[in-house]
Amino acid sequence: MKVKKFDVLTIPLEVEYENPILGRLFGLFAWLMLVRVKKFNLTMNGQPMFSFYRLLVPRFLKGGGADAE
């Protein structure tokens, strides 16, 4: 079994904004704040087997308004 040392995971986030320009600026700020790199360690019986990194990146989806089902 081959394990990649680095993996990219996209997390879907639903957004809706009233003002397009300010909403996109806030979205860029939120995107920069939400990008994270996590380190995972796999252990078995208290012995470290291997570790890998995962890059967590938000992906914005257009949110539904009050009329959406």
Side-chain angles (χ1 to χ4, degrees):
M1 176 172 93
K2 182 175 176 158
V3 178
K4 293 194 294 187
K5 287 286 195 176
F6 191 80
D7 190 21
V8 177
L9 177 67
T10 58
I11 303 168
L13 295 173
E14 188 172 322
V15 295
E16 179 182 357
Y17 46 83
E18 301 278 332
N19 189 338
I21 296 172
L22 289 177
R24 290 183 181 155
L25 287 175
F26 179 74
L28 176 65
F29 174 72
W31 188 84
L32 290 173
M33 296 303 292
L34 294 174
V35 171
R36 297 279 185 250
V37 176
K38 292 283 192 174
K39 181 179 180 182
F40 292 93
N41 293 317
L42 184 65
T43 59
M44 185 176 287
N45 295 332
Q47 300 285 333
M49 300 296 286
F50 60 88
S51 63
F52 60 95
Y53 294 92
R54 183 164 280 177
L55 176 65
L56 305 172
V57 179
R59 182 184 65 186
F60 293 117
L61 302 174
K62 187 174 183 178
D67 58 347
E69 294 182 22

